């Protein structure tokens, strides 16, 4: 029996172990769909890796790959990067945000003919995924406190990213120079494209990750240059040479600016200033891989709903817009996107393992912004949220079932902000209602 067989999707010959792994993964996907247990991509990826531990490396071989990571904005930026890279050829990318090994393997196995990849990667997994895929570009968005019971201390993550980047000196790192921790991770890389993507959350970078001394922040002074666009400069008091780099790309409220005098109007379809920064990093990544800047800008503006985020759904007499947030920085940014002229606001919080069971972070989020807006606290941990809203002075009612919470709002537009499992479960519930009405 030959030790290699032809791959029908790519024409390349792969080891027999890899072929068997792909066949087993396809069988698992079919079984999962047949049993009504979902698409089966994750179980397929898990099985494939068990059979062939080197399968990610083998599937990624010969592909031009961009990896996108960060605490917040990974899925949106990955979708934007994939859109911007489309002019270079078919792009393999996750449709559902599955950003750990099994999800990445599933993506590569299902899109084997694609010569280009834009892969979302959980920040804990970046070093070994980089080892397996040898990325042409690594996009670093931001780093902030997430689930301490899973992710651990944020400085540990920064150090692991820094060490992983050092192993790949040929990789172009597209890094947010407004984020101190991201800058530290990328600071020593031989090839860096700096993007002023903004950082409204600074609670996790009050001290320098390199010296432990305070980070000093103040108004940027660059004679009207790019640093002015974000308004904030910073440096380490323990090592003034570690400071905010001068960006190669930056945005204001209307335009994106880049190297060689490039400027273009940019209006992303997704809301929020953070998404303008995400779009800028997606454009910078695509251009670093050879995309035309103007075409890249046009492409990122076509990205709207991302895995249900920012989507608008009709639920009875309510037009419901759904927003997702998973940690203090993400919640603060999502709160800034809430339309306070909406007819209702539902905030849904669960405390399951994927969310992080410790909800003490609720006290880091500035719910005081909703003093003049009626809020409905929902989710499995609605009581915890209610206590926080009470101390914030936000008028609210408590209805744990998110669908009933939406129904309690006046007819019209309802904003729903939910954490991970609450967002997921609400999507399932709304889909069930749509199916029942068909």
């Amino acid at each position: 029996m030959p030790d290699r067989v032809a791959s029908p999707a790519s024409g390349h010959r792969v080891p027999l172990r890899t072929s068997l792994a792909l066949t087993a993964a396809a069988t698992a996907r079919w079984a999962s769909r047949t049993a009504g247990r979902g698409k089966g991509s994750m179980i397929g990826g898990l099985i494939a890796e068990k059979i062939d531990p080197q399968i990610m490396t083998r599937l990624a071989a010969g592909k031009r790959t961009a990896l996108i990571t960060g605490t917040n904005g990974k899925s949106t930026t990955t979708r934007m990067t994939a859109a911007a890279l489309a002019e270079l050829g078919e792009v393999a990318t996750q449709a559902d945000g599955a950003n750990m090994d099994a999800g990445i393997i599933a993506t590569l196995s299902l899109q084997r003919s694609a010569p280009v990849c834009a892969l979302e990667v959980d920040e804990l997994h970046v070093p070994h995924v980089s080892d397996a895929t040898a990325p042409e570009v690594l996009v670093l968005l931001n780093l902030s406190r997430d689930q301490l019971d899973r992710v651990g201390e944020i400085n540990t993550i920064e150090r692991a990213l820094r060490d992983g980047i050092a192993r790949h000196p040929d990789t172009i790192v597209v890094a947010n120079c407004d984020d101190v921790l991201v800058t530290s991770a990328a600071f020593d890389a031989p090839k860096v494209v700096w993007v002023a993507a903004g950082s409204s959350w600074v609670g996790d970078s009050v001290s320098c990750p390199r010296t432990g001394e305070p980070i000093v922040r103040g108004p940027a002074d660059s004679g009207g240059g790019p640093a002015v666009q974000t308004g904030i400069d910073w440096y380490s008091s323990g090592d003034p040479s570690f400071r905010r780099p001068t960006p190669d790309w930056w945005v204001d409220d209307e335009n994106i600016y880049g190297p060689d005098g490039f400027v273009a109007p940019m209006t992303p379809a997704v809301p929020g200033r953070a998404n303008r920064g995400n779009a800028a990093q997606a454009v910078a990544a695509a251009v670093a891989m050879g995309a035309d800047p103007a075409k890249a800008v046009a492409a990122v503006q076509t990205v709207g709903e991302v895995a249900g985020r920012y989507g608008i759904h009709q639920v009875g007499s309510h037009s419901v817009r759904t927003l997702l947030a998973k940690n203090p920085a993400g919640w603060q940014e999502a709160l800034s996107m809430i339309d306070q002229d909406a007819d209702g606001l539902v905030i849904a919080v669960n405390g399951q393992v994927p969310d992080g069971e410790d909800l003490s972070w609720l006290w880091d989020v500035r719910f005081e912004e909703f003093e003049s807006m009626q809020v409905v606290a929902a989710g499995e941990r609605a009581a915890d949220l209610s206590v926080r809203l009470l101390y914030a002075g936000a008028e609210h009612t408590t209805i744990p079932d998110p669908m009933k919470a939406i129904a309690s709002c006046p007819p019209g537009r309802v904003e729903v902000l939910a954490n991970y499992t609450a967002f997921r479960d609400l999507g399932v519930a709304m889909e069930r209602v749509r199916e029942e009405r068909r």
Side-chain angles (χ1 to χ4, degrees), residues 29-390:
R29 288 194 298 272
W30 173 83
S32 179
R33 290 193 298 268
T34 301
R37 300 294 296 272
K39 296 178 181 178
S41 297
M42 290 296 290
I43 187 64
L46 287 167
I47 289 173
E49 188 176 30
K50 285 290 185 183
I51 296 172
D52 181 5
Q54 298 301 313
I55 192 167
M56 188 188 300
T57 299
R58 288 171 175 145
L59 292 176
K63 296 182 184 293
R64 303 182 64 194
T65 300
L67 303 182
I68 297 92
T69 196
T71 309
N72 293 299
K74 292 187 290 292
S75 295
T76 300
T77 309
T78 300
R79 187 70 61 83
M80 289 176 168
T81 303
L85 288 171
E87 68 170 288
L88 304 183
E90 181 187 356
V91 182
T93 192
Q94 299 103 317
D96 55 3
N99 57 31
M100 298 185 191
D101 291 13
I104 293 167
I105 290 168
T107 298
L108 293 172
S109 64
L110 290 169
Q111 302 175 66
R112 294 174 63 193
S113 64
V116 181
C117 300
L119 300 174
E120 173 183 344
V121 186
D122 179 88
E123 51 269 38
L124 282 173
H125 290 240
V126 169
H128 72 261
V129 172
S130 295
D131 293 342
T133 61
E136 188 169 334
V137 167
L138 170 63
V139 180
L140 298 181
L141 301 172
N142 49 70
L143 288 174
S144 65
R145 212 166 356 117
D146 200 359
Q147 303 163 27
L148 287 178
D149 52 350
R150 181 184 76 84
V151 177
E153 291 294 341
I154 194 62
N155 281 3
T156 303
I157 304 303
E158 182 276 324
R159 184 72 229 191
L161 286 172
R162 196 192 317 176
D163 291 344
I165 288 169
R167 295 200 297 270
H168 297 276
D170 292 331
T171 296
I172 301 169
V173 182
V174 176
N176 179 4
C177 65
D178 289 324
D179 187 296
V180 173
L181 289 158
V182 161
T183 300
S184 180
F187 203 67
D188 302 319
K191 301 177 181 179
V192 188
V193 176
W194 296 108
V195 183
S199 182
S200 60
W201 180 268
V202 298
D204 298 309
S205 56
V206 294
S207 61
C208 175
R210 294 177 170 235
T211 67
E213 298 298 321
I215 290 291
V216 179
R217 291 181 168 86
D221 181 10
S222 63
V228 171
Q229 303 304 330
T230 60
I232 299 295
D233 203 353
W234 59 261
Y235 65 90
S236 169
S237 60
D239 178 9
S241 66
F242 177 63
R243 62 184 311 124
R244 180 183 185 269
T246 300
D248 302 292
W249 293 86
W250 66 98
V251 293
D252 59 21
D253 291 338
E254 297 178 354
N255 299 318
I256 180 172
Y257 304 85
D260 303 318
F262 177 80
V263 57
M266 186 176 72
T267 307
V270 289
R273 184 164 184 82
N275 280 324
R276 294 188 65 77
N278 292 338
Q281 291 200 252
V283 169
V287 171
M289 293 178 69
D292 176 78
K295 291 179 180 178
V297 172
V300 300
Q301 295 177 95
T302 66
V303 175
E305 182 177 340
V306 179
R309 300 162 206 186
Y310 319 115
I312 297 176
H313 314 268
Q314 195 64 36
V315 181
S317 61
H318 299 103
S319 177
V320 178
R321 184 174 74 143
T322 52
L323 300 170
L324 171 68
K326 296 179 284 188
N327 47 63
W331 274 84
Q332 204 59 58
E333 189 60 44
L335 289 174
S336 72
M337 300 180 194
I338 296 295
D339 179 2
Q340 299 209 22
D341 292 326
D343 299 291
L345 169 62
V346 174
I347 302 178
V349 175
N350 287 355
Q352 299 179 24
V353 171
D355 307 303
E357 296 170 297
D358 180 359
L359 295 189
S360 59
W361 54 263
L362 284 170
W363 296 88
D364 293 331
V365 181
R366 294 192 297 275
F367 289 106
E368 285 77 6
E369 297 175 12
F370 297 107
E371 291 178 343
S372 61
M373 191 175 189
Q374 177 66 37
V375 180
V376 184
E380 297 169 353
R381 302 290 286 273
D384 298 79
L385 175 61
S386 177
V387 172
R388 175 67 187 98
L389 292 172
L390 179 66

